[in-house]
Amino acid sequence: MLAFTLKRTLVALLVAITVSIISFSLLRLSGDLAQALAGPSATAADVIAVRKAYGLDQPLAVQYLDWAGKALHGDFGDSFFFKEPVWSMIATRLPVTMTLGVCALFFALVVAIPLGVLAALRPNSWIDRLALTLSVFGQALPSFWFALMLMILFGLKLRWLPISGTGSWQHYVMPAIALGYYGMPAFMRLTRAGMMEVLASDYIRTARAKGLRTPTVLFKHALRNAIIPVVAVAAVQFGFFLGGSIVIESVFALHGVGYLGLESISRADFPVVQAIVLILASFYIVLTLVADLLNAVLDPRIRVA
Amino acid sequence: MAIESLAGIDQILEPSAGALLRRRVFGHAGFLIGLVIILAILAVALLAPVLAPYDPYDQNLSQRLINPVWFDNGSWAHPLGTDQLGRDYLSRLIYGARISLLIGTVAATISGLIGTSLGLAAGYFGGRVDMAVTFIITTRLAMPVILVALAVVALAGGSLQVVILVLGLLLWDRFAVVTRSTTMQVRALDYVAAARATGCSTLRIVLAEILPNIMNALIVVVTLEMAQAILLEAALSFLGLGVQPPLPSWGLMVAEGKEYMFFSPWVITIPGVALFTLVLAINLLGDGVRDLTAPENRS
Amino acid sequence: MSAILEVEALDVKIPLAHGILHPVRKVSFSVARGETFCIVGESGCGKSLTSLAIMDLLPKRAQRTAGRLAFAGTDLLGLAARRMEDIRGDRMAMIFQEPMTSLNPSYTVGNQLEEAFLRHRGGKRGAARERAVFLLEKVGISAAGSRLGQYPHQLSGGLRQRVMIAMALMCGPELIIADEPTTALDVTIQAQILHLLAALQREFDMGVVLITHDLGIVARVATRVAIMYAGQIVETGTVDEIFSRPLHPYTQGLLRCIPVPGRTRRGEHLGSIPGLVPNLVGEQRGCSFRNRCPHEFAACAGSNVALKSLAPERAYRCLLSPAQCATNALEAAE
């Protein structure tokens, strides 16, 4: 068990390093960084000066190792644009993205799980068809368009919710829905399939034979087992929410990490972009490990390796 | 137990396999709807020069933001109105279909080739090759795709070719995962062992024995990835780092119309509905193929 | 002894896409406290569905009807679902065939045992725990206290089945229905479990309905026996009567399949019953056994054969007279 965990952690570290190398290289190879930084009106001498100032004349490997060495200490350098430590820029914006991610996950689960349970209890009924239809429609909806539609309906026509900024919890409602709906179909299908399988199992028959009341059978016995894969997928989906929040953050003007990434790309502020990619990738990797851990916690059969 | 024998009885009294498939195809509403819609959009895209009433790039600043025909001041001259530069919206919508379909197919093809090759190698050879490919897949999954795509497009310059290439190079993960697992299943089967015993070369085995049998899983993945490529391009273009104006990408049309969305919401509604319809049809088609080709996949 | 369970004309029908399956047809029997009533039959004869029908645990699609279904005098047919839930697990309990999958893998053995007690008796966890330990020891599980904290996957099949038995006894039921409780276990464990059930039955004066396809088990533990074929009871009697004077050709056929030390000659073919169980979809006409019966004649295909009663608990379903049946049995033995 310990050897397995160590191996997983080692692989995770390697993945993180590889991601950082790839993004590092992509950023520096897809175009001339010095040119982009110097601006369109720079002369050739300006570009050379910029290149030297930012250490862009060094070989790629040296540049990378230099960056990686500092990154290990949490020093991601300074922003090209703001002369401010990259880390503090990201740190101030991280809470917004995390809050958004948590709200989106909450929304997706709160809709998907009850729907999935009801659909499993009454297969081929109207509620099953409704769940399936919502699921199919949800996967076809472009997120940015859905976000704008929500804005028009709830922000403009009904005036129930604010359309930008992060002042209160109401500010997170539409963004959470616009980000979370995409995860809802997968959760719903998993819950439905899991419940149907579990409800047909022998131990549910035993529970009913003991005379347990229906809610006890459904929740204590059935859902407890059916939900295990959903929890693991939810952890990973949270990672996707964190990484994919750019569009929603920009539509609703939420100053999170995603929005910062977009702005930094437009400003050619590459240290920031580099750091964000690494941080988001690390979150994803940690979350996959968490998913495995949750599986072991929830399913006693896995624990005793 | 008698309950298990119920399923057996069902099968004994069923009609032939061919009749069964035909009945299921025509009974599968989702598949048919998806197929019809896609064929319709494909026809529209191919016949764009014939169908579009105007040139989609033709600006006419005296005719800006005219309402579509269902409004009081709309007219059939511009059935879907005009955008902020006076370009006919119906024509832009029709030509936009070309862009979405092109991006969807080409990007899915590129990512399909990459992902399938990786998956086949991993599934067939196993061992170190599998470890290496799994590592590559995990690395790809860990990357925040949309951020990386945005960055690369920003540096390389936004254009149709760059977008297609970037999407193709990033969206191969599901191909690889599905190909890998189905290849592993098929490889363990007897006829593959028989092929090897008769001395067939690896390449021949892969192409002749394994590939045909993972086809239906692959078709489902192709549709999913096409849909994802289309949505992702729309998002990139919406954020300004995808296809560049004046190309009539539906995502770009939504971005351009955003400023006017509170006064003329139809400017963003129409291309959004078009995107939704296309992606929905592709997903229905994919779901339908999966339901119809998998042995006991009935809902 | 008054009957703890009375079943009259129990029917189970399951609507399918192309007809109605009729796997349990007019089954009638009664069970008293202190006796072990065995229902014997091959796979698919409807014996498991009969037990599920009595406990009201049939799948949703199945429809149950009966002339009378009573437990300790209480009519079960008209009973509201909640009242039935109160009786199930409390006064009537069931033990299933598959110990490996009949316990919830996510909860400890103790949790699942105590749950049954707490559900029907209420009260504190302490009392439930005590009862669980008491019963685990009764079913022969050592170190019962530490077992409570274990998960099902940590126990062997034999141990799990013992836990299932203990679980059925948590509330001191008056009737236990055991559906092939030893089929999935080793032969050596089988014997232990059966001994256990018999001892518990004597100690707690319970009525036991034991469903099995194994005549060896029947010989060992049964008080009275019912033979089931194609959804119907074809013969009933005490265990002595069934084994020494079988009437129905099917019963006779079953007994012929068993090698008997001293009587079965070396190299001799063991008996077998040729043919297959009939399709139970749709209306059934005539005797269900006729296409496999060595004594079939024209009238067998006519109308349905009724159960003929020779004595209060002795009946058989055949057109032949008892004398003819006896003669057939003797002929076959030569």
Side-chain angles (χ1 to χ4, degrees):
Chain A
M1 192 64 196
L2 188 65
F4 180 72
T5 320
L6 277 174
K7 184 169 168 236
R8 286 280 267 121
T9 320
L10 192 65
V11 170
L13 275 170
L14 278 173
V15 171
I17 294 174
T18 314
V19 170
S20 70
I21 294 178
I22 293 177
S23 57
F24 192 89
S25 322
L26 271 179
L27 289 175
R28 277 161 180 67
L29 294 174
S30 327
D32 190 353
L33 220 61
Q35 180 71 61
L37 283 167
S41 55
T43 64
D46 290 337
V47 174
I48 294 176
V50 164
R51 196 169 282 136
K52 210 170 164 70
Y54 287 102
L56 295 169
D57 49 346
Q58 307 271 22
L60 207 61
V62 173
Q63 288 187 47
Y64 175 75
L65 287 169
D66 196 42
W67 176 86
K70 294 205 197 106
L72 278 174
H73 296 110
D75 175 15
F76 289 101
D78 288 346
S79 150
F80 281 175
F81 205 77
F82 284 118
K83 294 292 162 279
E84 198 188 317
V86 170
W87 174 243
S88 72
M89 284 175 77
I90 295 179
T92 47
R93 288 174 178 70
L94 208 51
V96 172
T97 304
M98 292 292 247
T99 315
L100 178 60
V102 168
C103 294
L105 189 65
F106 179 73
F107 167 73
L109 289 174
V110 152
V111 172
I113 294 180
L115 260 182
V117 170
L118 284 172
L121 285 175
R122 305 196 194 303
N124 296 321
S125 64
W126 68 270
I127 197 143
D128 192 11
R129 291 187 210 282
L130 176 71
L132 210 60
T133 310
L134 274 179
S135 171
V136 168
F137 274 36
Q139 283 180 317
L141 217 48
S143 61
F144 60 90
W145 184 69
F146 186 44
L148 292 174
M149 292 289 114
L150 283 176
M151 254 193 194
I152 293 180
L153 180 60
F154 292 105
L156 179 70
K157 293 260 156 64
L158 294 174
R159 291 189 190 281
W160 283 350
L161 296 164
I163 60 173
S164 68
T166 53
S168 64
W169 67 266
Q170 284 100 326
H171 283 94
Y172 283 95
V173 173
M174 284 197 291
I177 296 177
L179 182 60
Y181 82 95
Y182 208 71
M184 198 273 291
F187 292 146
M188 198 282 300
R189 278 185 226 201
L190 263 179
T191 308
R192 178 182 180 275
M195 274 301 271
M196 284 178 80
E197 195 188 312
V198 165
L199 284 172
S201 63
D202 288 345
Y203 57 84
I204 294 299
R205 187 183 54 184
T206 306
R208 291 187 62 212
K210 284 199 284 198
L212 298 176
R213 295 244 181 263
T214 310
T216 314
V217 175
L218 271 184
F219 296 109
K220 180 181 173 190
H221 286 268
L223 193 59
R224 167 68 174 76
N225 286 307
I227 213 79
I228 297 175
V230 178
V231 169
V233 170
V236 174
Q237 183 66 41
F238 183 59
F240 287 136
F241 283 153
L242 291 180
S245 63
I246 300 182
V247 175
I248 302 300
E249 284 180 18
S250 81
V251 169
F252 289 100
L254 297 170
H255 289 283
V257 169
Y259 200 17
L260 179 64
L262 182 62
E263 291 176 314
S264 304
I265 289 174
S266 329
R267 298 193 280 251
D269 195 352
F270 295 109
V272 180
V273 179
Q274 176 75 13
I276 292 179
V277 168
L278 181 62
I279 289 173
L280 289 177
S282 309
F283 268 123
Y284 174 84
I285 294 169
V286 167
L287 283 166
T288 48
L289 291 175
V290 166
D292 282 349
L293 203 70
L294 282 172
N295 256 332
V297 163
L298 291 173
D299 190 346
R301 289 172 292 189
I302 300 182
R303 269 181 237 165
V304 188
Chain B
M1 265 188 79
I3 302 222
E4 278 82 87
S5 67
L6 294 184
I9 290 180
D10 261 327
Q11 270 145 30
I12 293 170
L13 300 171
E14 286 287 353
S16 77
L20 199 60
L21 186 65
R22 243 176 295 127
R23 189 200 293 172
R24 284 169 79 191
V25 168
F26 284 104
H28 201 295
F31 177 78
L32 288 175
I33 294 175
L35 189 64
V36 165
I37 294 180
I38 290 184
L39 289 176
I41 296 182
L42 189 62
V44 165
L46 289 172
L47 296 172
V50 173
L51 290 171
Y54 299 85
D55 181 340
Y57 301 100
D58 216 8
Q59 297 181 16
N60 191 342
L61 293 172
S62 65
Q63 302 264 343
R64 301 165 63 191
L65 290 174
I66 295 181
N67 286 331
V69 71
W70 55 83
F71 282 81
D72 293 332
N73 46 0
S75 76
W76 281 101
H78 295 283
L80 290 181
T82 59
D83 68 0
Q84 66 283 358
L85 292 176
R87 298 174 291 201
D88 178 49
Y89 230 42
L90 178 61
S91 309
R92 285 185 70 77
L93 199 70
I94 291 175
Y95 274 89
R98 289 192 157 188
I99 293 182
S100 290
L101 284 174
L102 183 68
I103 289 177
T105 23
V106 180
T109 310
I110 298 176
S111 55
L113 286 170
I114 298 176
T116 311
S117 318
L118 282 174
L120 279 172
Y124 188 74
F125 295 111
R128 298 247 174 101
V129 177
D130 186 19
M131 271 171 56
V133 171
T134 310
F135 181 79
I136 296 174
I137 297 176
T138 314
T139 307
R140 169 31 270 270
L141 285 173
M143 293 204 283
V145 175
I146 194 165
L147 192 61
V148 171
L150 283 168
V152 172
V153 172
L155 285 166
S159 72
L160 195 56
Q161 298 91 309
V162 169
V163 170
I164 292 180
L165 204 60
V166 168
L167 290 177
L169 290 173
L170 281 174
L171 293 178
W172 48 264
D173 53 288
R174 198 180 314 208
F175 277 108
V177 169
V178 171
T179 308
R180 176 178 171 272
S181 58
T182 41
T183 303
M184 281 175 158
Q185 286 170 17
V186 168
R187 177 168 157 267
L189 294 175
D190 285 340
Y191 53 83
V192 174
R196 284 165 70 189
T198 60
C200 291
S201 75
T202 305
L203 187 64
R204 200 196 131 106
I205 293 177
V206 163
L207 290 178
E209 310 281 352
I210 296 188
L211 209 50
N213 290 289
I214 61 176
M215 256 324 163
N216 43 322
L218 276 185
I219 291 178
V220 177
V221 179
V222 164
T223 59
L224 285 173
E225 292 305 324
M226 257 187 83
Q228 214 188 345
I230 292 174
L231 284 177
L232 207 47
E233 176 273 318
L236 290 176
S237 303
F238 173 78
L239 290 174
L241 286 169
V243 164
Q244 296 298 307
L247 282 174
S249 147
W250 289 339
L252 200 51
M253 284 161 77
V254 175
E256 289 171 343
K258 201 170 74 145
E259 290 175 57
Y260 313 95
M261 77 179 197
F262 291 126
F263 306 108
S264 314
W266 49 266
V267 182
I268 60 168
T269 313
I270 291 173
V273 169
L275 272 170
F276 172 71
T277 312
L278 177 58
V279 174
L280 181 67
I282 296 176
N283 282 340
L284 284 174
L285 196 69
D287 280 354
V289 168
R290 188 197 57 217
D291 287 347
L292 292 170
T293 57
E296 309 111 357
N297 260 1
R298 289 163 45 215
S299 56
Chain C
M1 285 183 294
S2 62
I4 190 80
L5 179 69
E6 295 160 74
V7 181
E8 258 177 53
L10 179 64
D11 255 25
V12 174
K13 290 197 178 74
I14 305 177
L16 294 178
H18 35 263
I20 299 185
L21 182 64
H22 203 169
V24 177
R25 303 188 278 152
K26 301 257 181 306
V27 166
S28 305
F29 62 89
S30 67
V31 183
R33 290 188 82 138
E35 75 169 351
T36 301
F37 183 77
C38 271
I39 302 182
V40 188
E42 55 190 274
S43 300
C45 72
K47 49 196 203 296
S48 289
L49 281 176
T50 304
S51 62
L52 290 176
I54 295 170
M55 295 281 282
D56 197 18
L57 285 174
L58 288 169
K60 268 187 258 193
R61 282 199 300 174
Q63 294 152 6
R64 169 186 83 166
T65 48
R68 178 170 162 72
L69 186 62
F71 171 74
T74 315
D75 173 44
L76 294 181
L77 282 177
L79 209 57
R82 291 181 76 91
R83 294 280 80 76
M84 188 66 206
E85 280 169 10
D86 288 337
I87 296 180
R88 263 209 304 268
D90 185 2
R91 302 174 64 200
M92 265 171 85
M94 191 154 170
I95 300 169
F96 297 97
Q97 181 175 339
E98 268 299 340
M100 299 306 276
T101 49
S102 293
L103 288 167
N104 193 325
S106 299
Y107 294 102
T108 60
V109 161
N111 186 313
Q112 297 184 58
L113 283 168
E114 290 159 20
E115 176 183 51
F117 188 82
L118 291 168
R119 154 69 176 99
H120 295 286
R121 299 276 180 271
K124 312 203 89 168
R125 235 202 160 99
R129 197 174 186 283
E130 268 178 46
R131 175 101 179 136
V133 171
F134 168 70
L135 283 173
L136 282 180
E137 281 169 356
K138 266 267 176 282
V139 300
I141 296 183
S142 57
S146 64
R147 294 287 188 192
L148 289 183
Q150 286 189 318
Y151 287 92
H153 67 273
Q154 293 173 292
L155 298 162
S156 70
L159 276 179
R160 284 189 226 193
Q161 194 63 310
R162 289 174 197 261
V163 168
M164 293 296 291
I165 295 172
M167 202 152 74
L169 294 172
M170 282 302 280
C171 300
E174 293 149 67
L175 174 72
I176 289 209
I177 303 180
D179 185 358
E180 306 213 44
T182 56
T183 304
L185 301 171
D186 288 340
V187 174
T188 45
I189 313 282
Q190 259 186 35
Q192 295 171 14
I193 299 286
L194 289 172
H195 274 294
L196 178 60
L197 270 176
L200 291 167
Q201 178 195 30
R202 280 194 297 273
E203 182 172 344
F204 297 116
D205 192 33
M206 300 181 295
V208 172
V209 176
L210 180 62
I211 297 171
T212 178
H213 61 266
D214 187 336
L215 285 170
I217 293 179
V218 176
R220 244 183 300 185
V221 300
T223 322
R224 288 169 40 240
V225 183
I227 311 278
M228 259 185 97
Y229 182 78
Q232 291 177 307
I233 291 193
V234 296
E235 188 165 350
T236 58
T238 65
V239 62
D240 282 329
E241 287 166 335
I242 294 286
F243 275 86
S244 54
R245 287 185 302 283
L247 292 170
H248 194 279
Y250 179 59
T251 319
Q252 294 170 354
L254 284 178
L255 290 168
R256 266 203 300 277
C257 300
I258 306 174
V260 180
R263 229 197 294 167
T264 312
R265 291 186 290 271
R266 273 183 106 106
E268 180 183 323
H269 287 288
L270 285 179
S272 65
I273 307 176
L276 291 169
V277 184
N279 184 341
L280 292 176
V281 179
E283 283 305 302
Q284 308 294 317
R285 294 219 62 196
C287 174
S288 306
F289 188 63
R290 68 179 184 281
N291 57 331
R292 308 173 73 182
C293 183
H295 313 290
E296 185 204 357
F297 56 96
C300 296
S303 55
N304 294 335
V305 183
L307 204 55
K308 288 197 286 216
S309 204
L310 297 178
E313 299 293 346
R314 183 80 170 115
Y316 73 111
R317 193 186 293 270
C318 185
L319 292 176
L320 297 170
S321 73
Q324 278 171 308
C325 294
T327 322
N328 291 335
L330 281 172
E331 277 171 9
E334 270 128 37

